[in-house]
Amino acid sequence: MATAGEVEAPAYEEVLRVVQACAARIRWRLRPGSKRRLLNDILFLCTGLRSVVLMDYGGTMPQLQENLCSLLHHAQQESSILKPLKVMVIKDMLYLIHVTGLAEHVSPNARSQHQLAFVDLESSCCKLLSNTEENATVLELVSIQEMFSSKFPVDTAVNLPVIKPGTTEQESKVPVITTDVVCASTQIADRTLLAVDLSAFVETAQIALPSLNGWLLGYPVTYLFCNGSAETATKNLSKHSLHIYRVYVCRTPQSDAKQSEEELMSFSVPCELSTKRDEEPWAKAFVARMNKKLKRCNQVWVSMRLEVEVFLSQSGVIVL
């Protein structure tokens, strides 16, 4: 399969057209803002800017999972670029993932090169911890990371069913939708093929899912706390003003179209731990890493910028 850098820009425009058409076909009624986020997230995944996005929009479970799996099932029949996409479930959280990108992200090599920094919310926000420090919660995260790298090895093969024009039901191994009963069976098959449930990875874990999310979603700094300390963590964080880091990317304009800027991701860090803002060592390393990804698909993305704003302390407002 061609890498993101080997695919021409018009092919990605066709991907977005396919996704919109398939969403209409399955009657997924998305609000304009949610539709735009979905198209952007799929483009971020397919061009290698992200490997995991959190589906905190577009509906609620289990209907959201059904809609997303159905969308992928239809769209992957029309575009091979979408074949590496799958749905990942962890407890009540739903994610859209790029299998190859996630395999690279969770690999031991990537984890050794891109060291995470942690804000320990169980004690205070006075210092950053590295993932080499002897902290029980950090060590548990490392153990879960190993599970992910085993589940998604770097040489992961993407082998999802694709129905080609003219193939028969037997050849494609995907039932042809002829009745409501068959349609329901197909949807069940879609969920089996396109969704992977990793809830077992955290079933007995003490680390809170938001801490795991920080790593999965590619943030350079993540908040560290356990399930039983969520209230304490929220109170501790609410005492501190935050720097909100927002990453924006600009798409290469098509023909005479106006250049558009989209938010790639955002994360926060307590102000006292990020006094240098975008000049913090971890911030500079993060920007360099993202720019490297941007260059691998410069036929789609022309630039990136990091914006830092201040969110003043408001006790009780912040929810983890």
Side-chain angles (χ1 to χ4, degrees):
M1 181 177 293
T3 63
E6 296 172 338
V7 180
E8 296 298 326
Y12 289 110
E13 293 299 322
E14 177 64 13
V15 163
L16 299 182
R17 186 202 65 76
V18 166
V19 171
Q20 292 185 78
C22 291
R25 186 185 309 167
I26 66 173
R27 296 181 176 85
W28 189 3
R29 295 179 176 84
L30 288 164
R31 294 179 179 179
S34 295
K35 181 179 178 181
R36 181 170 179 172
R37 282 190 65 184
L38 179 63
L39 293 175
N40 284 337
D41 283 343
I42 287 176
L43 195 58
F44 296 153
L45 290 167
C46 290
T47 56
L49 292 188
R50 302 197 69 176
S51 55
V52 180
V53 294
L54 178 64
M55 292 297 300
D56 55 355
Y57 60 92
T60 56
M61 295 280 275
Q63 189 61 47
L64 176 59
Q65 180 179 341
E66 293 179 1
N67 285 339
L68 197 55
C69 285
S70 181
L71 175 70
L72 291 181
H73 168 68
H74 289 287
Q76 287 175 352
Q77 297 175 33
E78 300 184 34
S79 174
S80 61
I81 295 175
L82 294 167
K83 284 185 65 177
L85 300 191
K86 276 194 176 186
V87 174
M88 181 172 73
V89 181
I90 302 180
K91 290 189 173 180
D92 58 348
M93 296 282 194
L94 192 70
Y95 311 80
L96 188 57
I97 67 172
H98 188 287
V99 175
T100 307
L102 181 57
E104 293 174 355
H105 178 66
V106 305
S107 68
N109 182 53
R111 286 187 279 124
S112 65
Q113 289 183 5
H114 313 308
Q115 295 285 319
L116 259 181
F118 301 94
V119 179
D120 186 358
L121 293 184
E122 293 187 342
S123 55
S124 67
C125 292
C126 62
K127 69 173 184 175
L128 290 177
L129 303 176
S130 73
N131 59 1
T132 59
E133 296 191 37
E134 291 298 320
N135 177 288
T137 310
V138 172
L139 294 177
E140 186 175 51
L141 175 59
V142 172
S143 176
I144 295 173
Q145 288 175 329
E146 292 296 335
M147 295 182 194
F148 270 90
S149 62
S150 296
K151 180 69 176 179
F152 299 98
V154 175
D155 59 350
T156 296
V158 178
N159 185 24
L160 301 179
V162 178
I163 301 176
K164 298 180 181 179
T167 57
T168 65
E169 178 180 348
Q170 183 177 4
E171 289 172 337
S172 67
K173 298 183 181 181
V174 178
V176 175
I177 300 175
T178 56
T179 66
D180 291 341
V181 175
V182 176
C183 182
S185 299
T186 303
Q187 290 178 352
I188 293 173
D190 285 348
R191 286 197 294 272
T192 302
L193 291 168
L194 296 175
V196 53
D197 192 333
L198 301 184
S199 300
F201 283 11
V202 296
E203 187 174 359
T204 60
Q206 296 302 308
I207 189 172
L209 195 49
S211 297
L212 179 62
N213 280 342
W215 166 63
L216 281 174
L217 298 176
Y219 304 156
V221 179
T222 187
Y223 295 114
L224 192 67
F225 63 100
C226 293
N227 289 315
S229 307
E231 185 176 350
T232 299
T234 300
K235 287 181 179 179
N236 284 340
L237 189 58
S238 297
K239 298 173 185 176
H240 299 265
S241 295
L242 304 175
H243 278 141
I244 310 296
Y245 289 78
R246 301 188 188 279
V247 182
Y248 296 94
V249 289
C250 273
R251 288 181 61 185
T252 302
Q254 299 297 311
S255 63
D256 296 329
K258 184 180 179 181
Q259 190 177 74
S260 63
E261 184 178 65
E262 307 294 347
E263 183 174 321
L264 177 64
M265 68 172 73
S266 62
F267 56 92
S268 66
V269 183
C271 290
E272 58 264 46
L273 298 181
S274 52
T275 55
K276 296 180 181 179
R277 295 182 172 234
D278 57 348
E279 291 297 317
E280 292 287 344
W282 55 262
K284 293 171 73 173
F286 170 73
V287 170
R289 187 162 67 249
M290 295 308 299
N291 274 320
K292 186 176 180 180
K293 290 183 177 182
L294 200 78
K295 290 179 180 178
R296 291 193 306 201
C297 200
N298 57 12
Q299 72 274 37
V300 176
W301 307 108
V302 66
S303 64
M304 184 197 79
R305 71 180 180 89
L306 179 63
E307 180 180 281
V308 184
E309 61 184 75
V310 177
F311 180 84
L312 297 178
S313 173
Q314 297 181 38
S315 181
V317 171
I318 297 171
V319 178
L320 293 168

